[in-house]
């Protein structure tokens, strides 16, 4: 006989969270491997835009972070060809140079001690939405990890290679997890590499759905309390890790070399 059909939702949520914590397995990849996997995952999901975009994660020492070499596409990144750089973008480990636009990552890391990974890309639907100078609208359950958690920078400051752009983007991001940059792209953050990767996947899907919905009519808002409830339900480290592991399994079928 069923034992849970009369239980309140609050208790069922607690039970589910406990079960996820005890059941969902963690991965054992290094940060370098997880970054390389992230590059391949996002490449296959349409985030590739030639040499545009940067993916970084904090390094072993304060003021350092890993990033890809300028000149390599997301589909060419491996754990071994990543660079370790300092806040001046000087290469501490590896060969080549970092994308000069990485400079604004330094400003975000300084402003947000809770952020350990930053993903900046120009995927098709985000880029298209950014041209309209309208904020991201979260009006679907699947997108709620971004509900009230995506900032908007309406003015385009130009190529983000200066300190001015770093201050502006970090300030506009505030305490949010992501930001839509007009005439530019998106920036997603996470306390873990897994979280940042999942958020980057989600923001592009959100832009695609928003453009489809805007073409069909007027987007109707969801009830704020339910949006926040869904945000908090999905935004758990175990959920992000499980989603990342799934994306990784998908991509390792053809991108196993990225772990080298």
């Amino acid at each position: 006989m069923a034992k849970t059909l009369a239980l309140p939702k609050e208790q069922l949520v607690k039970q589910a969270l406990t079960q996820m914590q005890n059941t969902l397995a963690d991965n054992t990849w290094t940060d370098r491997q997880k970054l390389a996997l992230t590059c391949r995952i996002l490449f296959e999901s349409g985030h590739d835009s030639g040499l545009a975009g940067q993916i970084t994660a904090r390094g072993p020492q304060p003021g350092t972070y890993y990033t890809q070499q300028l000149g390599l596409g997301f589909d060419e990144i491996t754990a071994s060809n990543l660079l370790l750089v300092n806040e001046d973008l000087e290469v501490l480990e590896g060969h080549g140079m970092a994308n000069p636009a990485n400079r604004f990552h330094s400003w975000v890391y300084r402003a947000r001690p809770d952020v350990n990974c930053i993903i900046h890309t120009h995927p098709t639907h985000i880029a298209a939405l950014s041209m309209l100078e309208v904020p991201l609208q979260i009006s679907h359950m699947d997108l709620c990890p971004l509900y009230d958690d995506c900032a908007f920078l309406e003015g385009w400051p130009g190529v983000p290679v200066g300190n001015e752009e770093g201050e502006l983007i970090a300030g506009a991001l505030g305490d949010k997890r992501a930001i839509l940059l007009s005439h530019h792209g998106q920036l997603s953050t996470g306390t873990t590499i897994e979280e940042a990767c999942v958020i980057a996947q989600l923001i592009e899907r959100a832009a695609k759905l928003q453009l489809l919905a805007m073409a069909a009519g007027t987007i109707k808002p969801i009830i704020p309390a339910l949006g926040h409830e869904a945000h908090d339900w999905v935004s758990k480290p175990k959920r992000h890790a499980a989603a990342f592991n799934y994306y990784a399994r998908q991509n390792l079928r053809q991108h196993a070399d990225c772990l080298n």
Side-chain angles (χ1 to χ4, degrees):
M1 184 175 178
K3 301 177 181 178
T4 60
L5 298 185
L7 294 180
K9 184 177 182 178
E10 181 180 356
Q11 186 172 345
L12 292 171
V13 167
K14 289 181 179 179
Q15 287 184 3
L17 291 175
T18 299
Q19 189 174 14
M20 281 191 287
Q21 188 67 31
N22 295 332
T23 304
L24 295 178
D26 294 324
N27 63 61
T28 58
W29 294 304
T30 67
D31 283 354
R32 280 180 173 270
Q33 289 175 323
K34 286 189 281 190
L35 277 178
L37 279 166
T38 296
C39 287
R40 304 301 181 98
I41 290 167
L42 296 181
F43 174 81
E44 292 293 341
S45 300
H47 283 254
D48 176 64
S49 183
L51 301 182
Q54 313 91 40
I55 300 175
T56 66
R58 289 190 191 269
Q61 300 298 327
T64 68
Y65 52 87
Y66 296 108
T67 188
Q68 75 270 33
Q69 295 180 37
L70 181 63
L72 296 182
F74 285 1
D75 59 324
E76 298 178 300
I77 300 303
T78 66
S80 59
N81 67 28
L82 286 165
L83 304 176
L84 179 68
V85 302
N86 60 23
E87 292 181 317
D88 295 317
L89 304 185
E90 296 171 332
V91 176
L92 306 177
E93 293 179 11
H95 303 283
M97 66 175 287
N99 188 327
N102 270 286
R103 181 169 300 281
F104 77 85
H105 291 230
S106 297
W107 287 92
V108 174
Y109 283 128
R110 283 189 164 214
R112 292 285 299 277
D114 60 308
V115 167
N116 290 306
C117 181
I118 297 170
I119 297 173
H120 169 61
T121 56
H122 307 168
T124 299
H125 299 94
I126 279 287
L129 185 62
S130 78
M131 295 164 64
L132 302 177
E133 292 189 356
V134 297
L136 195 70
Q137 292 180 256
I138 304 302
S139 190
H140 186 275
M141 180 180 69
D142 293 350
L143 311 177
C144 282
L146 287 168
Y147 187 82
D148 197 25
D149 214 354
C150 183
F152 177 57
L153 180 59
E154 185 173 0
W156 180 49
V159 179
V161 297
N163 290 309
E164 298 87 352
E165 292 83 8
E167 290 184 276
L168 181 62
I169 292 172
L173 176 66
D175 62 356
K176 305 296 185 185
R177 192 154 36 175
I179 184 169
L180 174 65
L181 307 169
S182 285
H183 307 285
H184 192 176
Q186 68 83 29
L187 184 146
S188 298
T189 70
T191 58
T192 64
I193 296 170
E194 291 93 329
E195 179 184 13
C197 179
V198 171
I199 294 301
Q201 290 276 72
L202 197 62
I203 194 172
E204 168 63 355
R205 175 171 165 78
K208 180 178 182 179
L209 290 178
Q210 181 169 335
L211 291 168
L212 287 170
M214 289 169 62
T218 302
I219 297 176
K220 307 298 184 183
I222 57 177
I223 298 171
L226 298 182
H228 287 292
E229 178 189 62
H231 172 281
D232 295 345
W233 164 248
V234 179
S235 299
K236 298 291 188 294
K238 282 289 185 178
R239 287 287 295 261
H240 293 315
F244 179 86
N245 292 346
Y246 168 60
Y247 294 139
R249 291 194 301 272
Q250 281 185 317
N251 283 271
L252 282 172
R253 295 166 193 158
Q254 56 185 351
H255 291 290
D257 63 303
C258 73
L259 297 179
N260 300 328

